[in-house]
Amino acid sequence: GATVGDLAEQLDRPRRTVARLVNDLADAGLVDTADGVRAIDEVGPKRAIGAVRETLESRERIAESRLAMMRAYAETSHCRRRVLLEYFGVEAPEWCGNCDGCERHEAHQEQERAQQHAGTDSASDASPLHVDQAVHHEEFGPGTVMGVEPDRVTIFFDAEGYKVVALSALETGVLTARELASA
Ligand SMILES: [Zn+2]
């Protein structure tokens, strides 16, 4: 197959532009780049354009979901460190005790303690899902759990990006866990 450099020369376009297009085509499953750039099969221009558009739209959704996650980080009243770690799919304690979110939380807790001495808070989060778990969603397709809360999970979907899904989706079968085959 031709190299990206060959194609750029033949098309008289910047190498970077051609490389990006080739990546889009590869993501859309239209070209194979394992050994130079090669078309995978006889796809008409209509199908090719459709596939590339789908890939670009998927990328746009993922970028938008990243933005939404960043907004959530900026606006959270929870532990900021936890939100950030979960963005990267790292398990984190609910409260780190060192950020402004935790400070506000502690102040709030103290206020509540002062107001009512009685009351037991049993925080048992026996979630059926865990970070890094592979899942499948009826609408959003395959994804990976990035963060777990008592009532909801944050999932990175391959084609959609980050989404927060209520745990009740498990009960209705909309969301299913795909256990990794390990002994
Ligand atoms: Zn914190």
Side-chain angles (χ1 to χ4, degrees):
T3 66
V4 169
D6 294 340
L7 289 171
E9 208 169 296
Q10 277 178 40
L11 296 166
D12 194 23
R13 289 282 188 284
R15 203 174 183 287
R16 213 172 42 167
T17 306
V18 173
R20 197 159 38 197
L21 181 64
V22 166
N23 277 340
D24 288 342
L25 292 169
D27 283 352
L30 297 174
V31 299
D32 176 17
T33 55
D35 178 31
V37 182
R38 257 189 341 206
I40 277 177
D41 56 26
E42 304 292 326
V43 280
K46 224 180 197 170
R47 235 194 86 197
I49 289 167
V52 171
R53 179 179 297 137
E54 214 167 276
T55 305
L56 291 176
E57 280 170 0
S58 167
R59 238 181 245 177
E60 226 161 82
R61 287 196 297 271
I62 289 172
E64 267 166 30
S65 81
R66 286 218 173 93
L67 209 62
M69 286 301 285
M70 280 320 196
R71 211 169 286 139
Y73 171 76
E75 292 168 0
T76 188
S77 57
H78 283 82
C79 174
R80 231 175 265 280
R81 183 182 157 82
R82 178 184 157 118
V83 174
L84 191 63
L85 287 173
E86 286 194 339
Y87 177 80
F88 294 107
V90 178
E91 208 126 20
E94 192 171 0
W95 304 98
C96 75
N98 279 313
C99 70
D100 63 326
C102 285
E103 250 169 55
R104 274 196 304 276
H105 173 69
E106 274 158 31
H108 182 74
Q109 293 273 90
E110 223 155 280
Q111 224 171 40
E112 281 201 338
R113 264 197 298 273
Q115 275 166 10
Q116 48 174 338
H117 295 271
T120 51
D121 52 313
S122 53
S124 65
D125 35 18
S127 175
L129 296 175
H130 56 83
V131 168
D132 266 352
Q133 181 157 27
V135 291
H136 190 275
H137 190 282
E138 236 174 47
E139 188 183 341
F140 307 135
T144 307
V145 173
M146 304 300 279
V148 180
E149 282 176 69
D151 60 333
R152 62 208 152 132
V153 285
T154 304
I155 300 170
F156 184 84
F157 290 103
D158 298 353
E160 307 291 329
Y162 292 94
K163 292 211 179 284
V164 176
V165 177
L167 270 183
S168 58
L170 278 174
E171 285 149 34
T172 55
V174 171
L175 184 69
T176 46
R178 296 191 300 174
E179 279 303 336
L180 298 170
S182 58

